[in-house]
Amino acid sequence: RTIDGKAWTKVNANCGSTSFVVPDLISGQEYFFRVRAENRFGVGPPAETIQRTTARDPIHPPDPPIKLKIGLVTKNTVSLTWKPPKNDGGAPVTHYNVECLRWDRTGEVKETWKQCNRRDVEETKFTVEDLVEGGEYEFRVKAVNIAGPSRPSATVGPLVVKDQTCPPSIELKEFMEVEEGTDVNIMAKIKGVPFPTLTWLKASPKKPDDKNPVLYDQHVNKIVGEDSCTLLIQQSRRSDTGLYTITAVNNLGTASKEMRLNVLGRPGPPVGPIKFESILADKMTISWLPPLDDGGSKITNYVIEKKEANRRTWVPVTNEPKECLFTIPKLMEGHEYVFRIMAQNKYGIGEPLDSEPETARNLFTVPGPCDKPTVSSITRDSMTVNWEEPEHDGGSPITGYWLERKETTGKRWTRVNRDPIKPMALGVSYKVTGLIEGSEYQFRVSAINAAGVGPPSMPSDPAIARDPIAPPGPPIPKVTDWTKSSVDLEWAPPLKDGGSRITGYIVEYKEEGKEEWEKVKDKEIRGTKFVVAGLKEGCFYKFRVRAVNAAGIGEPGEVTDIIEMKDRIVAPDINLDASVRDRIVVHAGGVIRIIAYVSGKPAPTVTWSRDERALPEEAKIEETAISSSLVIKNCKRSHQGVYTLLAKNAGGERKKTIIVDVLDVPGPVGMPFLTENLTNDSCKLTWFTPEDDGGSPITNYIIEKRESDHRAWTPVSYTVTRQNATVQGLTEGKAYFFRIAAENIIGMGPFTETTKEIIIRDPITVPDRPEDLEVKAVTKNSVTLTWNPPKYNGGSDITMYVLESRLIGKEKFHRVTKEKMLD
């Protein structure tokens, strides 16, 4: 059984010997065991183990340590090192014991092994101290675990204790590569007794034999340890690249080791001077040589910047060149420039190389002017322009032409082509499209060579953009209005304009009975409307209109009706403003504005009404010659309704109705507002929807509570959409008031409060009937009764009992007790 358990578990089915291996134990668990003998008469009493036994693998002392070695020896100390045993015996090695044996060649002193360490040695190294100078010693080490010490290791020695001497030796890496700006630690492992004198030397990779001592400062420093020497270079630079040699010297000899350090960084400046391969007015070509120092990494590209010689600010030009030649564009003629070039590798942009100042200029001149161009193949939206090469090309071949145009009515010349027009052997022609029909154009040409653009030619003769033309067709006129002395005419342009833009119209009239048509105006009329005045009242007239273009006067278009000169009667017409439709919605406090445009001849009288009754007192009517407006500022819910506008004149009447909705917050909720106890920490509220929902559906009810002895209201709900709610989290026995307000999209209406407080408790009902009513005593005029209280008091304490009686044979019970009876 386990030490914690009480029940014994049978381990074996049968066992004939006096030993047994118990299987299936839990590693690390502690157990008790017992054995009972059995014969044919039965099982005897048990014999129990006294000590608890832990189930674990057997633990033995570890194997001895291995590879015991002697290190540094002085006149009274020896340094030892060793390796842990291969087998720890089943338990971790906790420490080591170091022992020594002093040899006595004379035989006077008994030779015995003595422990050297006063404390447990936990590491695999130890320095044995307080040895006798000149003494001869052997050493060994034992490993110790929980089972005890191991057998001793193989001994080392014998060894005479005296100061050792050995020539210097150095361990140092042969190569190191770092990025510029990082700290560099060049560490050399040093051996030698006595400890040698150390010197660092540096040589250039190109002159490996030219070695100079390293100068120590804030940038470079030397740190010497017990068995090492470190050269510390802080914030390394490209100049720190080199061959570093450390030399160690003592009285037994000299040792040295060399290491190559590469500090990779940004390249140096390109090699100058910068050469100007070609110079023009708007560009220069420059060349240079690669930098002597590429920063230890391949040059990826060059960065070029420019500045005007009299300015301080450098402007980027490009970072794309990979070769040592580039043409810098977009220079301004006559300006003096300085350029600088920087090489770039993967570590960044190097130092710049600046050029000498140079002026952007041409070494030859622009071409002379071309002869005056000619225009051919004219249509309504295109013309072909023709010209010859100029007599003088300025010393450089003509590379192209700029063609410009302008309307004869304007002053500004506009370039026609996006790219220069290429020269042709037998004169140049170019078709200009996108012209405006009827506009008159002139053209001019400028030649281009390497020096730039030459002066423009003389302008071509004016040419009108149009197809071959004819007089226009007839317009389509109509009479839109008239009085006793005037007629309003309006017409549509002719369907065919004859190939030329309509420049104007001629309006004519003829009185009935006459043969000649008379012009209403000597000059052409520009628009498509005209009022003919000065006509005779009562006479009959005919009207016609003729269109005019560049080809002349077209055919007439006549009004089909004959017009009698008398005042016209037009029934009223009402058109609502675009901001007003048949229905408008306004928020309370806003402005109701209904604008109606009223027309008719004679001018109609206008009357406004609301719901077929007079307008509210706040309503104002604003009238103009063409409109009538109703305005109510700071409107209320009471201002909503159906507004009617009535316009009357001799021609009849016209009515327009507009429904106005005024939206406001809801009114108070409908009464009664009731409370009802539910449990000892909740109550139920019920109410009715407000009579006025403010013109918008109720979206929520806000409920707040306050204790009867407090003034502050606190919210109890955030979203209630029905007409009842259960308020939770109330305190039993506390009295509360509640208030509620309805909410719609406009806002929250006024609160309605409960008329009386409600005390929170479980709902109360009448009690059950009393139990076990018995007659205890009877006299000639009295009866003594007893009873037990009801099983359920209805949720509240019994306040009194009522005793009733009736005579046998009678139906009615009569109350016997008048006072409160609590017994």
Side-chain angles (χ1 to χ4, degrees), residues 176-358:
M176 185 182 290
E177 193 170 79
V178 297
E179 189 174 338
E180 187 177 19
T182 57
D183 294 344
V184 180
N185 291 307
I186 305 173
M187 189 177 78
K189 290 281 186 181
I190 309 296
K191 291 182 182 177
V193 182
F195 195 79
T197 302
L198 303 170
T199 308
W200 284 96
L201 303 172
K202 179 185 175 184
S204 168
K206 295 181 179 178
K207 298 179 180 178
D209 297 328
D210 186 12
K211 297 181 180 180
N212 295 303
V214 174
L215 300 176
Y216 304 114
D217 54 18
Q218 290 182 344
H219 178 56
V220 182
N221 201 359
K222 179 173 77 171
I223 301 170
V224 179
E226 288 184 7
D227 61 348
S228 66
C229 180
T230 302
L231 188 67
L232 174 62
I233 304 174
Q234 294 184 333
Q235 297 289 312
S236 59
R237 307 167 188 153
R238 274 288 292 158
S239 58
D240 294 323
T241 297
L243 298 172
Y244 288 84
T245 304
I246 183 169
T247 304
V249 179
N250 68 7
N251 55 6
L252 296 177
T254 302
S256 66
K257 279 274 186 174
E258 186 177 82
M259 191 200 79
R260 167 72 183 261
L261 174 65
N262 266 4
V263 180
L264 306 178
R266 297 178 299 171
V271 175
I274 295 174
K275 293 182 180 179
F276 291 90
E277 302 294 340
S278 73
I279 299 171
L280 296 174
D282 62 343
K283 60 185 176 184
M284 297 186 197
T285 301
I286 58 174
S287 65
W288 60 93
L289 294 175
L292 297 174
D293 177 15
D294 64 0
S297 178
K298 181 183 175 183
I299 302 296
T300 57
N301 59 286
Y302 292 92
V303 177
I304 302 176
E305 295 180 346
K306 70 179 179 182
K307 76 177 180 75
E308 294 188 31
N310 58 353
R311 296 195 177 181
R312 295 184 178 181
T313 307
W314 290 94
V315 179
V317 174
T318 182
N319 61 357
E320 293 180 358
K322 291 179 172 50
E323 305 299 329
C324 298
L325 181 75
F326 187 74
T327 299
I328 300 167
K330 298 180 181 178
L331 303 180
M332 297 179 69
E333 186 175 5
H335 287 233
E336 192 176 38
Y337 291 94
V338 177
F339 304 98
R340 73 177 182 186
I341 304 165
M342 294 158 284
Q344 184 172 2
N345 63 11
K346 70 176 182 178
Y347 296 104
I349 299 172
E351 295 297 314
L353 168 68
D354 289 6
S355 73
E356 293 296 323
E358 186 59 70

Side-chain angles (χ1 to χ4, degrees), residues 552-586:
I553 300 171
E555 300 174 16
E558 288 193 25
V559 177
T560 54
D561 299 331
I562 298 173
I563 306 301
E564 183 183 358
M565 292 293 99
K566 62 179 181 179
D567 283 331
R568 185 183 176 202
I569 295 175
V570 179
D573 190 21
I574 301 172
N575 290 305
L576 295 177
D577 185 73
S579 63
V580 182
R581 296 180 180 174
D582 294 339
R583 186 187 199 97
I584 62 173
V585 179
V586 186

